[in-house]
Amino acid sequence: MEKGETAEIIVPSRLGYGNIGRPPNIPPDAELTYEVEVFSVEEVGEETDLPLEERMKIGDEKRERGNFWYGRGDYSNAIHCYRRSLDFLDDEKQDFQNPTSELQKLLDTRLKVYNNLAAAQLKMDAYEAALKSVDFVLKVQPQNVKALFRKGKILAAKGKNNEAIIELKKALKLEPETKIIHQELAKLTLKKKHEEKAEKAMYRRMFGTTDNPSSQPKSQLRSWSLIVGGIMAVVLSVAVYRHLHG
């Protein structure tokens, strides 16, 4: 489009507000029609070339937009918004070791985005990506309770229950009154006990043993008696042979 031109843009429901809509103005499954007019055209440089205050504003807006989609259960769109937010908030050229107050705000917002990104990735079963996102937060803030809790859930989803329990205990130590951490830890601890019990039962079946040796079936005991008797007979025969031909 050129400056001064207008266009009609039609957005199908699945790319708009879906089957939930956005009450009270947009009903469910609504097709959206926009009329767009170009008033001005500007060259767009790198996101990190913008002034810090503007980057912060845009990055935070995209974070909130991601939260909107996350709240609606549209995790794919949420992840897209969080990643776009990080395009404005991530900057390798900045010195975050001794940040100014303005730069500290940007850093805090960036950590929120990574934390939210990890939550959305977890919902999409993208465990490795979620782990990288949450580890970024913990590298800067090792005692971030949300990050510790989410890391515990990610590790549990990956089947690493022991590691998950360690992370959840760290979170619980920092916030001992938080019920959801108690619930997740209790659920995981119970699951671990069941798995250990099932594993022990499997080993008992493999080696034909039980917790109480006296409760072994009589047929099994007879089998062992026959084996031991056979071995003793062989040993006795060898001893007699050596005595006679020694």
Side-chain angles (χ1 to χ4, degrees), residues 12 83 121 190:
R83 289 196 182 282
Q121 289 166 330
L190 184 63

Side-chain angles (χ1 to χ4, degrees), residues 15-52:
L15 299 176
Y17 292 96
N19 57 9
I20 299 176
R22 194 178 187 185
N25 300 319
I26 301 172
D29 300 313
E31 183 178 85
L32 307 175
T33 302
Y34 292 91
E35 186 176 285
V36 179
E37 182 178 354
V38 179
F39 290 104
S40 64
V41 179
E42 298 175 6
E43 280 194 28
V44 179
E46 294 291 327
E47 289 88 348
T48 51
D49 290 337
L50 295 170
L52 196 62

Side-chain angles (χ1 to χ4, degrees), residues 89-206:
L89 301 174
D90 272 339
D91 189 354
E92 295 179 359
K93 292 181 277 186
Q94 293 286 354
D95 178 20
F96 288 105
Q97 296 301 318
N98 300 292
T100 62
S101 59
E102 196 174 31
L103 198 57
Q104 185 63 49
K105 286 180 183 177
L106 184 141
L107 177 60
D108 291 341
T109 302
R110 184 171 71 164
L111 294 178
K112 285 181 186 177
V113 175
Y114 270 111
N115 226 340
N116 293 351
L117 177 60
Q121 289 166 330
L122 177 59
K123 292 288 188 180
M124 297 284 288
D125 298 337
Y127 303 132
E128 292 301 327
L131 202 55
K132 286 180 182 178
S133 297
V134 84
D135 278 341
F136 182 92
V137 179
L138 292 171
K139 184 179 178 182
V140 182
Q141 295 180 346
Q143 294 188 327
N144 187 301
V145 175
K146 279 187 178 179
L148 288 168
F149 176 73
R150 283 171 184 157
K151 185 170 184 178
K153 292 199 71 173
I154 294 164
L155 290 169
K158 285 167 64 68
K160 298 182 178 181
N161 293 337
N162 290 336
E163 294 176 42
I165 288 171
I166 290 171
E167 299 302 321
L168 290 172
K169 283 182 176 178
K170 287 180 188 175
L172 191 62
K173 189 176 181 181
L174 294 166
E175 287 189 8
E177 302 302 320
T178 305
K179 289 182 180 180
I180 191 169
I181 302 175
H182 277 285
Q183 291 168 356
E184 196 67 29
L185 186 57
K187 183 175 73 174
L188 205 54
T189 303
L190 184 63
K191 183 181 178 183
K192 184 185 173 186
K193 285 181 180 178
H194 284 318
E195 287 176 350
E196 288 175 348
K197 188 176 179 181
E199 190 176 349
K200 286 179 182 178
M202 180 187 71
Y203 284 132
R204 285 198 298 269
R205 288 195 299 272
M206 284 174 63

